[in-house]
Amino acid sequence: MKEIQENNIQEFKDFISNHQYFYVIGHKEPDGDCIASCLGIADILKKSNKEYKLLSAGPFKRPEIKKFEKQFSNKTDFLDNKDREITGLIILDCSELSRLGEIDGDLSDLDIFVIDHHKTSNLPENAKGFINPEAPACAYLVQIFYEKILGKIPLKLANILFFGLSTDTGYFRFLSQDSAEVFMAAARLVSYGVEPRMIYNEINSGKPYSTRQLLGVLLSKAERYLDGKLVITYETLEDTKKYGSEGRDSDALYQLLLSSQDVEAAVFLRQDTISTCTGGFRSVDKIDVSQVAAKFGGGGHKNASGMSTDGKIENLIPLIVKEFAKII
């Protein structure tokens, strides 16, 4: 795995030193990894005696991250030209400015530092940062930055970073053979006082009952393609109206679909509006779903990607199947 080098640490330390105020932001529709990464960097700034503001376009749909929502704002402060010269923008868990979502304010022309782990990521023009597509979670990278800059992580933040690492790795189910360093990082968090059982319960408990009902609906709609290697299911506007839009348990859905015999990839589509859809792509082993997501303006990891696009479910399904046919 690509390691964070001393020059990467120094570049980030210089970025902090060269600015007096910071916006810390992750992608829209944040998940646990995104939120944990933002809070980890915020703690570095706090201990560096720097002022900052946590930003997120939201929405905070996932039950496990609801408790963090009040720490974030979707509005920037007013900055004059002099203020902008001393303000840095730190982007976590994504690199594309378009994935930040709708923020009430102006983030343009700020110095940028990115920390990300997505395969489809690239640094914006003139931005600094560290991207490692081999890392299983952005929270893992933030942990390494923190330890190399400040040393031992306090328990409250250690819990948050373990939470972020756990959500993006499916509680370590998605890690591969070369993940010894990740487990050692997780072990260090446990040595700081983290209780893994508590974090597991935090992630997997308290799901709204409506999500259990919706899960049954989505399973009943699932169809197999390409000799049973691809399975696709979808949520209509009517489904959303009936079961609500909060607290999707997509992780459980993908786990059930991918555990089926011969299935190598799974897709979940949701009709967000009459003319727009979001989609999640998951796979096991060799299938690189980021290739398909990229065809629809999305991206992500080899085994987990997403997209938002114009269109209707019935029209998108055959197009998605066509793209998967090229790689399955």
Side-chain angles (χ1 to χ4, degrees):
M1 183 185 298
K2 177 182 176 184
E3 295 184 3
I4 299 174
Q5 303 295 326
E6 189 57 40
N7 66 296
N8 302 127
I9 299 299
Q10 189 59 52
E11 186 177 49
F12 187 47
K13 290 169 69 174
D14 290 343
F15 187 83
I16 294 174
S17 297
N18 293 334
H19 300 85
Q20 297 302 314
Y21 186 70
F22 297 86
Y23 290 130
V24 180
I25 189 170
H27 56 77
K28 61 184 178 181
E29 295 194 21
D31 54 11
D33 185 32
C34 177
I35 294 301
S37 299
C38 290
L39 294 173
I41 292 300
D43 204 65
I44 293 176
L45 296 174
K46 181 179 180 180
K47 287 183 171 58
S48 301
N49 297 314
K50 299 291 184 176
E51 295 185 16
Y52 63 88
K53 187 170 190 176
L54 289 163
L55 296 175
S56 177
F60 285 66
K61 294 181 178 180
R62 302 167 187 261
E64 64 270 21
I65 64 170
K66 274 288 187 182
K67 64 181 180 181
F68 300 113
E69 185 172 7
K70 291 183 179 180
Q71 298 183 54
F72 291 78
S73 173
N74 64 355
K75 297 180 180 180
T76 66
D77 303 310
F78 172 77
L79 301 176
D80 59 26
N81 290 336
K82 186 176 180 180
D83 293 330
R84 300 182 76 80
E85 291 177 359
I86 61 172
T87 299
L89 177 64
I90 302 178
I91 302 175
L92 287 309
D93 204 30
C94 75
S95 64
E96 303 87 352
L97 297 178
S98 61
R99 289 200 65 211
L100 300 181
E102 296 297 323
I103 296 293
D104 185 4
D106 185 8
L107 296 177
S108 62
D109 300 323
L110 297 176
D111 291 337
I112 297 174
F113 197 96
V114 173
I115 301 177
D116 191 20
H117 70 124
H118 291 93
K119 183 177 180 180
T120 52
S121 293
N122 289 294
L123 288 176
E125 186 176 359
N126 299 322
K128 296 179 172 62
F130 182 81
I131 296 175
N132 182 1
E134 297 175 351
C138 189
Y140 165 75
L141 299 177
V142 170
Q143 176 185 347
I144 304 304
F145 271 98
Y146 193 105
E147 290 172 325
K148 288 184 177 292
I149 294 172
L150 296 173
K152 182 179 178 180
I153 298 173
L155 177 56
K156 182 177 179 180
L157 179 59
N159 276 318
I160 292 171
L161 292 176
F162 193 95
F163 166 80
L165 175 61
S166 298
T167 54
D168 243 34
T169 61
Y171 213 81
F172 307 102
R173 297 195 315 273
F174 306 145
L175 294 181
S176 57
Q177 183 181 3
D178 60 347
S179 300
E181 294 176 8
V182 181
F183 279 106
M184 286 189 284
R188 290 197 302 275
L189 294 176
V190 174
S191 75
Y192 301 148
V194 170
E195 295 186 34
R197 179 175 58 182
M198 180 188 73
I199 302 299
Y200 180 86
N201 290 335
E202 185 179 337
I203 294 171
N204 293 283
S205 301
K207 306 292 186 183
Y209 184 70
S210 60
T211 66
R212 311 298 94 181
Q213 295 175 300
L214 178 59
L215 189 59
V217 171
L218 298 178
L219 289 172
S220 70
K221 290 182 178 182
E223 295 287 345
R224 301 176 75 177
Y225 302 86
L226 305 177
D227 297 324
K229 296 178 181 179
L230 170 67
V231 60
I232 299 177
T233 190
Y234 57 89
E235 178 182 332
T236 66
L237 291 171
E238 291 74 19
D239 294 330
T240 305
K241 183 177 180 180
K242 182 175 181 179
Y243 298 104
S245 59
E246 302 300 316
R248 290 288 170 275
D249 194 3
S250 54
D251 183 63
L253 174 65
Y254 294 127
Q255 187 176 356
L256 288 167
L257 295 176
L258 291 174
S259 65
S260 301
Q261 185 176 4
D262 298 326
V263 173
E264 298 181 12
V267 176
F268 168 42
L269 297 175
R270 185 169 70 186
Q271 192 78 50
D272 290 322
T273 69
I274 294 176
S275 59
T276 61
C277 282
T278 55
F281 302 78
R282 297 293 187 274
S283 68
V284 291
D285 198 21
K286 63 182 180 179
I287 304 300
D288 185 353
V289 294
S290 70
Q291 294 183 37
V292 178
K295 295 290 185 179
F296 298 91
H301 310 288
K302 174 183 176 182
N303 300 120
S305 293
M307 62 86 167
S308 296
T309 187
D310 294 333
K312 294 187 176 182
I313 290 172
E314 59 267 27
N315 298 325
L316 285 171
I317 288 178
L319 298 177
I320 290 171
V321 173
K322 182 179 178 180
E323 293 300 328
F324 269 103
K326 299 176 183 178
I327 61 173
I328 287 183

